[in-house]
Amino acid sequence: MTNPTTPTAAPVTTIGARLRVALPVDRLEATGFPGRWVGGTAMTLGPFLMLSGALLRVRFPFFFPDQLAAYERHPTLMATAYGLFAAGGPLLWPAVAVPAARIGVRSAGWGLWGGVLVMFGLFARAFLAGWTIWPFSWCVPRGPGRPPKRSPPVTVPSTSSPR
């Protein structure tokens, strides 16, 4: 006879077991794509490009009117800085794919969803870099003897027709 007041132990489930039930993902073997050399090169070059771009523009205040004024005075430097920073983000995708695949061998859900979320973040950053660079097209580099660009006059068609 058992004592009804004695607590019984609940089955212990790990987070990984609960995650496999919630996110039914098949276990993948390490396919080797994109490969450790490509991933390692991306892990080296991506942050280096982003750091180079950030260091090129560090001497200018980061607030956007100051960045636009810096672009007006130094267009090549600022375009290079923003271009390097923008190129570093998408270059990091192989650097994310390699650890995500290695994690996926052990825990498929963590590898898949962690890799997907980081990829979304990388490419969202690339999209936002485009929005950051776009206002520079409004600046017109001016030099000595070069008049500012003006837009052509707008003509409105007449609504009344001559008889």
Side-chain angles (χ1 to χ4, degrees):
M1 182 168 212
T2 60
N3 187 353
T5 59
T6 306
T8 58
V12 177
T13 58
T14 63
I15 293 175
R18 285 186 271 170
L19 186 64
R20 279 191 288 280
V21 171
L23 301 171
V25 177
D26 294 332
R27 183 176 293 279
L28 298 174
E29 297 300 321
T31 59
F33 180 77
R36 62 183 190 169
W37 282 102
V38 173
T41 303
M43 283 181 198
T44 306
L45 285 181
F48 177 74
L49 288 176
M50 295 178 91
L51 179 66
S52 306
L55 288 177
L56 281 176
R57 64 181 176 178
V58 75
R59 65 181 173 169
F60 305 109
F62 191 67
F63 192 50
F64 70 92
D66 299 320
Q67 292 286 303
L68 289 173
Y71 180 78
E72 192 171 25
R73 287 187 307 261
H74 309 285
T76 306
L77 173 71
M78 294 302 285
T80 303
Y82 275 93
L84 286 173
F85 191 86
L91 184 65
L92 284 173
W93 80 262
V96 172
V98 170
R102 304 237 359 206
I103 291 169
V105 169
R106 185 154 189 193
S107 176
W110 286 110
L112 173 73
W113 291 106
V116 165
L117 291 175
V118 172
M119 293 288 184
F120 279 147
L122 283 175
F123 288 101
R125 179 65 194 114
F127 172 76
L128 293 175
W131 276 102
T132 304
I133 295 171
W134 176 54
F136 290 150
S137 65
W138 302 340
C139 294
V140 178
R142 295 184 195 119
R146 187 171 175 194
K149 288 186 180 178
R150 299 195 189 277
S151 59
V154 177
T155 58
V156 179
S158 174
T159 57
S160 64
S161 62
R163 292 190 192 235

